[in-house]
Amino acid sequence: LADKLTKIASQQLLVGLRFKEPRMKEIQKSIDLYNNKTEPALKGRKNVPLPTMSGFVETLKSEIDDPINIKFKGREDADKRKAMKVQSAFDMDTNINEGDWTSADLDQKTLAIFSGRAISETYAAEDPYKAIDETIDYVDFVCEPSGGAYLENHLYHGKTNVIRTKAELLKGVGGGFYDKKQIKKLVDETSEGDFKTNEILFNFKADRMKSLGLDVGTNNYIGQQVYSLTEWIMDYEGEKYYLFFDHKTQTWIRCELLKDVFGVNKTPFVSWAT
């Protein structure tokens, strides 16, 4: 079943990438304006960039940078103590020393200004406990083209460019997260490489760097073997599955029911539109 789901997921990923590619090119025009990238000038002339786009973005951000602030109240007097407990837990989860959700919220708003969409992944880690609201770059996120506004209604979605070193994968095996045989298969089928690339998935981000005059395509040496993996949520025959796989070799390293991974049958990804 895991092999079958991975083949389906790989095809879904390809469809999603092709669908979003024209949109990524349009968004890149705004990124170029923000970074004051100039077009080639006519002979004898010079293009001088004006910081209009960057001024607009920074002004808008200054209007929406308020810290996250939610107040929990009981619906009746008997709920007062419960509300205080929930408030305390929420404040601990979101403060700067723990999850720092306010910074993540501003990162998501910044990306949304350019793309129209903010995306994050929320989950908890333990030892020590930490509630995490991780910002997901829109270039790394893929979803069902006709899925609609709510991710829960999408038959598939997930994030790409999840970089893991060989050592991290082996550590994951020891922790019981990844399948030992599948990790060996991935290592055997992947050529020894210490460069952080992965075709179209990597190129989306490379285009953004180019607007700053930076070339990550030829400056991506890491110094150890790395893998660019995909974290995927998909529906199959009435069940929601969680997949972690390499799309190039169609090799999965983790495949479980979604509810067995997160304790609930809901996606950890959150998306909202401007």
Side-chain angles (χ1 to χ4, degrees):
L1 177 61
D3 292 338
K4 184 176 182 178
L5 292 178
T6 303
K7 289 182 179 180
I8 295 173
S10 296
Q11 186 62 35
Q12 291 172 338
L13 174 61
L14 185 60
V15 169
L17 286 171
R18 287 173 176 169
F19 179 77
K20 68 183 284 188
E21 191 168 7
R23 177 61 179 157
M24 294 297 101
K25 291 179 179 179
E26 287 299 310
I27 295 173
Q28 187 58 42
K29 294 177 182 178
S30 296
I31 299 290
D32 290 344
L33 283 173
Y34 178 75
N35 291 324
N36 293 325
K37 180 182 178 180
T38 57
E39 296 295 325
L42 296 173
K43 187 176 181 179
R45 299 190 180 186
K46 184 177 182 180
N47 287 341
V48 179
L50 298 175
T52 306
M53 183 66 162
S54 57
F56 166 78
V57 171
E58 297 308 319
T59 300
L60 178 56
K61 284 171 60 177
S62 71
E63 298 291 334
I64 57 175
D65 62 352
D66 296 334
I68 294 175
N69 184 22
I70 298 177
K71 297 298 181 183
F72 294 90
K73 296 182 179 180
R75 299 184 68 176
E76 52 187 58
D77 290 342
D79 294 331
K80 186 176 181 180
R81 187 175 179 83
K82 297 176 185 176
M84 291 174 63
K85 288 183 177 180
V86 174
Q87 184 72 59
S88 178
F90 178 80
D91 291 343
M92 183 187 73
D93 283 348
T94 58
N95 71 38
I96 195 168
N97 295 320
E98 299 292 338
D100 194 9
W101 283 29
T102 296
S103 293
D105 179 60
L106 188 57
D107 290 340
Q108 291 153 31
K109 289 173 180 174
T110 302
L111 291 171
I113 288 173
F114 291 102
S115 67
R117 273 277 166 188
I119 307 158
S120 64
E121 185 177 12
T122 57
Y123 55 94
E126 57 184 358
D127 195 24
Y129 166 79
K130 189 174 184 180
I132 298 170
D133 180 36
E134 179 183 350
T135 300
I136 306 300
D137 197 321
Y138 57 81
V139 302
D140 293 333
F141 192 74
V142 179
C143 57
E144 182 190 356
S146 58
Y150 303 103
L151 283 179
E152 289 294 343
N153 297 333
H154 286 228
L155 295 177
Y156 62 84
H157 60 273
K159 67 175 180 179
T160 61
N161 281 325
V162 183
I163 304 300
R164 293 286 186 271
T165 65
K166 183 178 179 180
E168 286 174 327
L169 293 179
L170 294 176
K171 184 178 179 180
V173 171
F177 296 109
Y178 307 145
D179 186 280
K180 184 177 181 179
K181 291 183 179 179
Q182 290 299 114
I183 291 292
K184 184 178 185 305
K185 180 182 177 183
L186 177 62
V187 172
D188 291 343
E189 292 186 4
T190 306
S191 59
E192 290 288 334
D194 45 18
F195 294 88
K196 196 174 177 180
T197 59
N198 204 327
E199 303 149 353
I200 189 173
L201 305 179
F202 184 80
N203 291 338
F204 284 155
K205 280 192 172 179
D207 288 341
R208 184 185 297 165
M209 293 293 187
K210 287 177 183 176
S211 71
L212 290 168
L214 304 174
D215 181 9
V216 293
T218 55
N219 297 281
N220 56 356
Y221 178 72
I222 300 297
Q224 57 182 314
Q225 191 168 358
V226 294
Y227 301 86
S228 183
L229 305 173
T230 298
E231 186 179 26
W232 206 245
I233 310 295
M234 63 184 293
D235 283 42
Y236 183 73
E237 295 186 348
E239 295 281 5
K240 289 183 180 293
Y241 289 90
Y242 174 93
L243 275 173
F244 199 35
F245 67 98
D246 173 59
H247 87 282
K248 291 178 68 176
T249 61
Q250 295 189 0
T251 303
W252 60 273
I253 61 173
R254 187 174 187 180
C255 178
E256 297 182 49
L257 289 170
L258 181 63
K259 58 187 177 183
D260 292 341
V261 177
F262 293 102
V264 292
N265 208 33
K266 291 184 177 292
T267 177
F269 293 100
V270 179
S271 175
W272 55 265
T274 54

